[in-house]
Amino acid sequence: MRPHREQHLVARIGWLRAAVLGANDGIVSTASLILGVAASGAERPALLVAGVAGLVAGAMSMAAGEYVSVSSQSDTERADLARERLELATTPEAEQRELAAIYIARGVDAATAKAVAEQMMAHDALGAHARDELHITAMTTARPVVAAFTSAATFTAGAALPLLLAALLPMRWMAAGEAAGSILFLALLGALGAITGGTKPLKPVVRVVFWGALAMALTAGIGRVVGTSV
């Protein structure tokens, strides 16, 4: 009899969140920066300098931010596991009753819950409590380095797209072309993220396009006001 294997999409949640966030931020922040500088009346060299600077600074900021935030999560997980390890060493009976109570709350009868708790404690006590009490699993555990590199790489990939438009578009079409192209990139990103995550693409596409377009419009407006007043 062939084993029944399932691959759930929740296993992708760690890297998918960092990837979508990085690429989305790369497109929005770089396109907004270029549009703001273009609206001030600057020429192409200034747009490219601003875009490259935004790409490098943004990628480093994303990597550092993800590493710090996910490291905080990892520190909390380690502290909880250390506390649980100490409780298992000092009060194993109480921990077994606690585990049985968790199973009872999920609908298991008391006798079965007690037997299951005994067996789980005998097999891997810390693993059972990490999973069922603390909700820490291999799929959800924090990975700071992976999150940092994923965010930096996807931010760079996202930022490269509006930067490429700034390098290739004729100056007379710069504002409209940069905005339209970046919105298209955002729509594609929203659809790709939705498909990868196993959901329908309409809402994610509308969401990323709306907030991205708003950010670009506000930045272009500020650039035009500043450029006019300087």
Side-chain angles (χ1 to χ4, degrees):
M1 184 176 180
R2 295 179 63 183
H4 176 62
R5 296 182 180 179
E6 294 182 349
Q7 184 175 4
H8 294 287
L9 297 176
V10 71
R12 304 174 180 176
I13 194 169
W15 64 263
L16 182 59
R17 182 197 65 84
V20 171
L21 176 63
N24 181 82
D25 199 17
I27 296 171
V28 172
S29 62
T30 306
S32 298
L33 183 60
I34 291 171
L35 283 169
V37 176
S40 71
E43 296 299 322
R44 191 186 305 276
L47 303 184
L48 295 178
V49 169
V52 171
L55 185 155
V56 174
M60 294 304 299
S61 176
M62 287 293 295
E66 281 289 319
Y67 185 82
V68 170
S69 64
V70 179
S71 290
S72 297
Q73 178 187 340
S74 181
D75 292 342
T76 301
E77 290 177 352
R78 283 198 298 268
D80 277 343
L81 288 173
R83 187 180 301 112
E84 197 65 35
R85 191 178 290 109
L86 177 61
E87 291 172 352
L88 287 168
T90 54
T91 57
E93 296 84 4
E95 290 300 300
Q96 182 175 306
R97 289 194 297 272
E98 184 178 34
L99 194 61
I102 292 172
Y103 298 145
I104 291 171
R106 294 177 181 174
V108 180
D109 66 83
T112 304
K114 183 176 183 294
V116 171
E118 289 176 353
Q119 294 177 38
M120 296 297 287
M121 293 276 288
H123 175 68
D124 181 7
L126 183 60
H129 281 271
R131 179 180 60 254
D132 294 322
E133 181 183 353
L134 304 177
H135 308 293
I136 299 174
T137 68
M139 286 193 292
T140 61
T141 189
R143 295 179 176 85
V145 174
V146 173
F149 275 106
T150 300
S151 293
T154 53
F155 182 97
T156 301
L161 299 174
L163 188 58
L164 182 63
L165 291 176
L168 298 179
L169 285 171
M171 287 302 297
R172 64 182 181 276
W173 296 343
M174 182 60 68
E178 184 72 40
S182 297
I183 287 173
L184 176 61
F185 295 148
L186 286 171
L188 292 174
L189 173 65
L192 180 61
I195 293 169
T196 304
T199 188
K200 294 180 179 179
L202 180 60
K203 286 181 67 175
V205 168
V206 171
R207 187 166 55 230
V208 298
V209 167
F210 172 78
W211 290 107
L214 179 62
M216 286 185 277
L218 289 174
T219 311
I222 292 172
R224 183 173 295 275
V225 170
V226 173
T228 303
S229 62
V230 172

